[in-house]
Amino acid sequence: MTTTSCSPAPEAREPEPRVAPRTGPRTGPRRGLRQPLPMTGHTLGSRSAQTCHFRCGDACLTPRPSSSTAPPFEELAQQAVGRRALLAGLGAAAVAGAALAPRQARAAGRARGSRAAAVVAPGAAAPAGALAGFAPVGPVPADVDDVVVPDGWEWHCVIAWGDPVVAGAPAFDLDAQTPEAQLTQFGYNCDYLTVLPLGGSGKRALLVANHEYTNENIMFPGYTDDASLTAEQRMISMAAHGMSVVEVRRDGPGRPWRSLPSRYGRRITASTTPFHLTGPVAGSELVRTSADPEGRTVVGTLNNCAGGTTPWGTVLSGEENFQGYFRSSDRLDPRNGVYGISDTGRGWDLGDERFDTAKEPNEVNRFGWIVEVNPFDPFSTPRKHTAMGRFRHEGATPSIAEDGRVVCYMGDDTGGQHLYKFVSRDRVAQRPRSGRENDVLEHGDLYVARFAVDGEPSSDHDGTGEWLPLTLGGRSVVPGMSLEEVLVFTRTAAAAVGATPMDRPEDVERNPVTGKVYMACTNNSGRREPGPANPRVRNRYGHVVEITEDGDQTATTFTWALPVVCGDPEDPSTYFSGLPASEVMPIACPDNVAFDAYGGLWVSTDGQPGSLDLADALHHVATEGPFRGKVTTFLTVPVGAETCGPLVDAEEGSVMVCVQHPGEVDGASVENQVSRFPYDGAVRVPRPGVVQALPRR
Ligand code: FEO
Ligand code: CA
Ligand code: CA
């Protein structure tokens, strides 16, 4: 996502950075340096078995949660599949959208608060600004242990697992790691990433990252299974979850960011950070526990995946696969069955009864929310917003509608689950001050999407849709469910109103220049019949959905299209808006979507190794004009890793990504690593971290 357009927060005096970049810039592929383990043991999707266990609690091996009764698909199944032939010509609509004149583009950028002067057609075939003309990378084989960037570019690691965040934090030491140290150091498996300006110099900022999950297999020497974890190792893992706020500094725009432990540095964790519950569920019986009989304060956050940056400078984070941390029992509310609560958990129940539903059956209801953190105040209490519903939240991306209400798009990342939209009750200023918290996300209406196909002209690649309300005006509109039940058991409510089952909705984000909304459906190998906006059975490669609201973000109807149905372009089940295979590059398992300030779409992937035998990547995708659907690869990440949290500044020519779970392949362990990312030579384990790519000087 672009750096937020909010006004900078006041700058405080701090000493100069002391932390030098550890990693020398690299460019180009370095192949054959290490022989990785075979990529064996893949499960039902595109991931390694390690990823399935540690991130999702082996969710794909448990019975698939029930979902909405899908609309009739017979018509869809009968429709011809010859899409490439049908659409080989250029779509009239695409051509019409291509020529947004520079003046119009600039006006659009200003109107929506973009800080860029958009001087090219948004979503054009190639990136604009300092990224114009980059030489595409790859395709890069999945076993390459390197970050590969375009010729003429270089990269460095800004911060990695174990690096100091809080002032006074110790340096990482694999053999002497403690819970106390981890509570002050950068967490594991960073995912969402944002950088918020601090002061007006352009030289200081706060970097905020999510830490989705831990992989003890390659973190702790001697690990064999969850039962083998020591109490101290469990506490380290809990402390390595959550979020980090860390100050970063640079010499000026377009220069490398470097992390600096400071008074802004903060770790938010699964075990130590209290959160206020807000909204209709706060105080409900459904969230009361023996430790919190009032049901208003939750300790910790779990499996924080993607997120969003608010126009007022706070950060939203999605609690995604929370179900994997709890041990199921007979006391678990059966209405939680749809979330697929783990039979075994992660062993955390051995040290903390909160994770044993036999002891605390309501604790699980206190996770699966969108959380909001104010990074500018390290002493602020973060919040969990219950008005935004409870599901496996991938993330939430906010924007301000014309009337000042705030709208968040949200995906529920499970095959057959849904796309949601939250519309706030209250209004905010169009350009709120940064660092000033508000309560606008505590009350509002929750909608879920139903997609339909109208038939002509391109059948399964476009159609119409509507936003079905689940709550309106502080009341449930779902028959037989109270407001609290709708918000705690949101999946059941969505199914009851006929929401469309999707192919794992991941990140969803609104293009700040065109106003169109893009959703990554990452894959769904379990799909047995086509559906609206999900045209492919056994969808291994995923697709991107484009939504055009019939009005601003608060509209209740929309049209949709599929600019890209992913995979190897030679595969006839793929679709790149009619472009021939020779014009595009392979892409699979889209996960995060982001926009540069010119309206260029960037898509990061999670699953190219398992589906295409290619390294996961960050791609540019053209969304307008004659090259709509054109995919070009900007960078790839090391063996075992996925690409997360893209942050593309096309004006300065800075591209940042999180390298999540490097070296996570089946058979890897601390004693048998396949990746050494970030290649600093200091430790013998891969360390997930933040990469910044810049043009070489
Ligand atoms: Fe954590 Fe849905 O990716
Ligand atoms: Ca994700
Ligand atoms: Ca992911």
Side-chain angles (χ1 to χ4, degrees):
M1 272 138 264
T2 53
T3 302
T4 187
S5 59
C6 56
S7 56
E11 189 166 7
R13 282 186 171 277
E14 289 290 340
E16 288 304 304
R18 298 185 302 274
V19 179
R22 296 179 314 275
T23 306
R26 293 177 191 275
T27 186
R30 296 180 307 122
R31 303 185 184 183
L33 298 183
R34 280 164 285 275
Q35 190 63 38
L37 295 173
M39 302 279 286
T40 58
H42 287 291
T43 57
L44 298 182
S46 312
R47 294 167 169 167
S48 74
Q50 279 197 27
T51 305
C52 280
H53 176 67
F54 291 110
R55 180 195 298 167
C56 309
D58 298 315
C60 57
L61 299 180
T62 60
R64 184 167 293 276
S66 65
S67 62
S68 170
T69 301
F73 299 138
E74 290 79 1
E75 297 171 26
L76 297 160
Q78 292 168 2
Q79 289 163 351
V81 179
R83 300 184 286 274
R84 197 184 301 281
L86 181 66
L87 295 167
L90 301 176
V95 172
L100 185 61
R103 189 183 305 173
Q104 290 174 287
R106 280 194 293 271
R110 283 197 300 271
R112 295 183 175 88
S114 166
R115 65 193 174 84
V119 294
V120 296
L131 283 155
F134 80 81
V137 154
V140 175
D143 62 358
V144 171
D145 184 25
D146 204 353
V147 177
V148 182
V149 297
D151 284 344
W153 287 66
E154 59 193 6
W155 68 270
H156 69 285
C157 184
V158 179
I159 189 167
W161 171 45
D163 282 342
V165 166
V166 178
F172 182 68
D173 183 344
L174 176 69
D175 297 312
Q177 182 67 330
T178 64
E180 293 73 24
Q182 183 64 77
L183 287 170
T184 61
Q185 297 169 333
F186 201 64
Y188 203 80
N189 271 349
C190 39
D191 195 299
Y192 181 68
L193 173 68
T194 190
V195 175
L196 295 152
L198 190 59
S201 68
K203 297 181 179 181
R204 301 179 67 198
L206 297 180
L207 181 155
V208 184
N210 283 351
H211 301 295
E212 185 172 3
Y213 69 103
T214 48
N215 183 343
E216 288 75 5
N217 205 43
I218 51 177
M219 291 172 68
F220 300 128
Y223 171 89
T224 54
D225 57 29
D226 291 341
S228 72
L229 283 174
T230 66
E232 184 172 62
Q233 287 171 332
R234 269 197 304 275
M235 292 169 66
I236 293 171
S237 291
M238 290 179 178
H241 279 66
M243 302 171 71
S244 286
V245 180
V246 57
E247 184 172 344
V248 289
R249 294 193 181 189
R250 62 182 181 180
D251 294 336
R255 304 295 293 156
W257 285 115
R258 297 166 186 178
S259 65
L260 171 75
S262 79
R263 70 180 183 87
Y264 288 102
R266 181 180 191 184
R267 284 301 327 285
I268 290 165
T269 77
S271 53
T272 59
T273 309
F275 285 74
H276 287 323
L277 277 177
T278 78
V281 178
S284 162
E285 284 188 9
L286 292 169
V287 291
R288 295 178 190 168
T289 65
S290 53
D292 177 29
E294 298 296 317
R296 296 186 179 276
T297 305
V298 180
V299 174
T301 185
L302 290 173
N303 214 260
N304 302 76
C305 190
T309 301
T310 69
W312 51 94
T314 61
V315 179
L316 307 181
S317 172
E319 295 186 319
E320 193 185 24
N321 288 299
F322 65 95
Q323 79 289 341
Y325 296 82
F326 295 87
R327 179 186 292 276
S328 186
S329 75
D330 291 343
R331 291 191 70 197
L332 180 68
D333 188 325
R335 293 175 292 184
N336 266 312
V338 72
Y339 292 99
I341 307 302
S342 169
D343 289 338
T344 59
R346 297 268 312 258
W348 289 13
D349 56 296
L350 299 173
D352 189 338
E353 292 184 348
R354 294 193 299 150
F355 298 101
D356 184 350
T357 62
K359 307 271 178 49
E360 289 291 349
N362 281 349
E363 186 71 21
V364 70
N365 294 343
R366 293 144 64 89
F367 296 84
W369 304 103
I370 291 295
V371 308
E372 182 177 8
V373 171
N374 179 6
F376 292 100
D377 180 359
F379 302 105
S380 58
T381 301
R383 292 169 287 168
K384 300 194 179 196
H385 292 309
T386 69
M388 302 172 79
R390 173 173 170 266
F391 41 91
R392 293 192 205 171
H393 273 289
E394 169 73 15
T397 48
S399 61
I400 302 175
E402 292 171 4
D403 65 2
R405 286 183 288 171
V406 176
V407 176
C408 293
Y409 295 94
M410 305 179 289
D412 181 354
D413 181 5
T414 301
Q417 290 301 322
H418 309 111
L419 168 67
Y420 295 85
K421 180 167 80 172
F422 173 82
V423 181
S424 72
R425 179 191 70 185
D426 300 326
R427 293 166 168 76
V428 298
Q430 288 293 337
R431 292 182 68 82
R433 275 193 68 179
S434 183
R436 289 271 178 91
E437 292 188 63
N438 60 50
D439 59 2
V440 74
L441 300 180
E442 298 184 5
H443 305 281
D445 301 331
L446 185 62
Y447 298 84
V448 68
R450 178 157 63 195
F451 294 79
V453 173
D454 294 339
E456 299 298 328
S458 55
S459 63
D460 50 354
H461 289 103
D462 60 29
T464 59
E466 58 184 318
W467 292 103
L468 307 171
L470 301 175
T471 69
L472 282 177
R475 296 187 176 183
S476 163
V477 292
V478 182
M481 296 184 77
S482 69
L483 177 65
E484 294 167 7
E485 289 171 330
V486 166
L487 295 174
V488 174
F489 305 113
T490 308
R491 284 184 165 185
T492 302
V497 301
T500 299
M502 308 296 292
D503 287 350
R504 292 186 54 199
E506 297 252 26
D507 213 355
V508 193
E509 180 135 355
R510 180 175 180 269
N511 187 325
V513 176
T514 68
K516 296 178 183 176
V517 176
Y518 293 81
M519 165 174 51
C521 285
T522 192
N523 59 56
N524 183 9
S525 55
R527 177 172 286 279
R528 292 294 175 261
E529 55 185 353
N534 299 276
R536 187 163 55 184
V537 298
R538 290 180 287 281
N539 182 8
R540 290 188 67 205
Y541 307 108
H543 55 275
V544 177
V545 182
E546 176 187 78
I547 292 170
T548 305
E549 301 272 26
D550 294 334
D552 76 354
Q553 304 97 302
T554 62
T556 55
T557 58
F558 59 85
T559 57
W560 60 268
L562 303 183
V564 175
V565 179
C566 303
D568 181 339
E570 298 291 346
D571 177 346
S573 77
T574 61
Y575 173 66
F576 295 88
S577 294
L579 290 179
S582 60
E583 287 287 329
V584 294
M585 298 180 70
I587 177 174
C589 305
D591 189 336
N592 299 118
V593 293
F595 295 93
D596 61 44
Y598 299 94
L601 172 62
W602 298 83
V603 178
S604 62
T605 67
D606 175 14
Q608 289 192 168
S611 58
L612 295 174
D613 201 20
L614 297 176
D616 271 315
L618 176 66
H619 306 280
H620 178 270
V621 179
T623 57
E624 306 284 350
F627 291 98
R628 173 179 165 89
K630 185 175 179 65
V631 175
T632 46
T633 305
F634 181 83
L635 63 73
T636 65
V637 294
V639 57
E642 70 169 276
T643 320
C644 296
L647 191 60
V648 179
D649 191 325
E651 294 173 287
E652 295 184 0
S654 166
V655 177
M656 300 176 76
V657 296
C658 284
V659 174
Q660 186 179 141
H661 55 77
E664 185 171 272
V665 302
D666 293 331
S669 65
V670 168
E671 296 77 17
N672 187 21
Q673 302 283 4
V674 298
S675 175
R676 290 290 189 275
F677 176 85
Y679 320 111
D680 55 7
V683 292
R684 59 184 191 277
V685 292
R687 297 192 298 142
V690 178
V691 156
Q692 183 184 23
L694 293 163
R696 189 184 304 122
R697 290 196 170 215

